[in-house]
Amino acid sequence: TNDYKELARLDFAHQLHPQYHVSDHQDPVIYERGDGALLYDVNGREYIDGLSGLWNVAVGHGRVELAEAAAEQMRELAFSNSYVGYANVPSIRLAEKLMSLVYSNMQAVLFCNSGSEAVDVAIKIARYFWYLQDKPEKNKIVARKEAYHGGTLGATAATGLPPFHVGFGPLAPAFVRAETCYPYRCGHCAGANDCTLACADDIEKVIVAEGPETVAALIAEPVHGAGGVIVPTPGYWPRLREICDRHDVLLIADEVITGFGRTGRWFGCNHTGVVPDVMTVGKGMGSGFPISGLISTDEIVAATPFARASASSSSYGGNPLAAAAALATLETIVDEGLVEHAARVGARMLDRLRAMQERYSFLGDVRGAGLLIGLDLVRDRATKEPLEREVTERIFTEALRRGLLLMGYFPRVRINPPLTITAEQADTGLAILDEVFATVAGEAHAR
Ligand code: PLP
């Protein structure tokens, strides 16, 4: 049996955690098992997993289908590399399955292990594309504020959230920052209904100022995830496509979070009618197994004949174990209609959260697509001044205490349960959140 105190002591002594110093976290929740949208810690406490692990456990915890697919594959063939001249059956089948789900002009996938790695490879492919056309100087990457693209050096430089940069400089060169579309906090327009797309025009200004002959690609998430689930206005992505076309800049859609039904459609770009040149995918594709990929259009594949060999040599890219589990994940998403389910349950959750806005003045904005939901917490609706940090933190600790896992990027809260969450479980989660808000509102009032 697992003894909590002993495990917590060992964790404190011997394990480093990426997002906080371990001294801030002496009482970690130590998970032991899961079942669908529920998690259980080593003390037997139950939690609603409002994070899907980390946006990735798409088909829920404890899936026998995935366990069997992985176990069977391990018995059959533990590993083979996917370098030039070698392939394995599950990765070929997975590649075929993926191509049936994405846009018809997408031709091929390069498998990697994490979203960050896929982003780095996407950046390399974009540069390589222009290099092969005798334009090696066309190498800058335009990335946006509020974006999170990962923790490797390239992905860190593409990330537009300042806390992820502090202390890690100098950042990789040739990344240029532009504005994003943040309807609730737009500096240009009065709100989503009046959007003039001046935010997209800022991207064009940046490209023109840098010189389009020096810009390889624009990378963007269809909906910002880690930055706080920021949903752009409807015309935004078509405008990005136009700008990229006008200046011969590749458009990389980072679908690491938005892929595989998270937003209620198969991919985030499906909401926009836009076809990117390159897509990065990960997280939900493996529902917990580490696997990611970079998917390119036929044009990119044709223009970069050796890219698959030279862009990324990663031992585990395309490994049969993760591929078999990802194939089982995608089949489960299809067989159980989870994309449509996510759209339905997500819409219901958004309605309920919007109704809560009437009762809690600090719920400044409620937004989302499918089961990718975000809240912007404010002190004052008129000024939109962020809610105090300690009040925001109270919301997270109170939710955890009551059995609901949430995460945030201050002062924004993210809610993204597994795609399999039932309507009843979603209601229970929101009832807990309602209690948390009432408690915190009472305390704020008392002060
Ligand atoms: N891209 C996006 C949009 C992400 O949200 C993330 C992680 O949250 C990444 C890339 C990096 O993925 P990973 O953490 O698997 O490296």
Side-chain angles (χ1 to χ4, degrees), residues 197-261:
L197 295 179
C199 50
D201 294 342
D202 179 72
I203 292 182
E204 184 158 34
K205 280 187 199 140
V206 166
I207 292 172
V208 170
E210 294 291 330
E213 68 289 354
T214 69
V215 179
L218 164 68
I219 184 166
E221 303 152 272
V223 175
H224 284 296
V229 187
I230 303 169
V231 186
T233 51
Y236 179 74
W237 268 78
R239 181 66 70 89
L240 292 190
R241 183 70 270 183
E242 274 169 43
I243 292 168
C244 287
D245 288 345
R246 198 153 42 238
H247 299 290
D248 254 353
V249 166
L250 297 178
L251 178 56
I252 303 171
D254 184 355
E255 296 252 17
V256 166
I257 283 183
T258 50
F260 307 102

Side-chain angles (χ1 to χ4, degrees), residues 93-252:
R93 295 258 181 259
L94 177 62
E96 182 200 25
K97 180 81 188 166
L98 277 171
M99 291 316 122
S100 75
L101 299 173
V102 293
Y103 291 103
S104 57
N105 65 340
M106 293 284 162
Q107 189 185 324
V109 56
L110 185 144
F111 289 118
C112 324
N113 310 291
S114 68
S116 307
E117 201 187 333
V119 165
D120 270 27
V121 181
I123 290 164
K124 289 169 80 175
I125 292 269
R127 289 176 173 168
Y128 194 58
F129 176 82
W130 297 114
Y131 166 83
L132 289 179
Q133 297 179 44
D134 286 332
K135 295 179 180 165
E137 70 292 345
K138 205 164 161 59
N139 57 40
K140 290 179 191 161
I141 307 295
V142 177
R144 303 174 308 157
K145 291 180 184 167
E146 316 300 341
Y148 183 78
H149 293 294
T152 48
L153 280 174
T156 295
T159 291
L161 303 173
F164 292 94
H165 295 160
V166 177
F168 302 122
L171 297 180
F175 285 79
V176 192
R177 190 84 48 222
E179 281 186 30
T180 189
C181 183
Y182 191 168
Y184 182 63
R185 294 187 181 280
C186 179
H188 299 285
C189 317
N193 297 335
D194 301 308
C195 181
T196 59
L197 295 179
C199 50
D201 294 342
D202 179 72
I203 292 182
E204 184 158 34
K205 280 187 199 140
V206 166
I207 292 172
V208 170
E210 294 291 330
E213 68 289 354
T214 69
V215 179
L218 164 68
I219 184 166
E221 303 152 272
V223 175
H224 284 296
V229 187
I230 303 169
V231 186
T233 51
Y236 179 74
W237 268 78
R239 181 66 70 89
L240 292 190
R241 183 70 270 183
E242 274 169 43
I243 292 168
C244 287
D245 288 345
R246 198 153 42 238
H247 299 290
D248 254 353
V249 166
L250 297 178
L251 178 56
I252 303 171

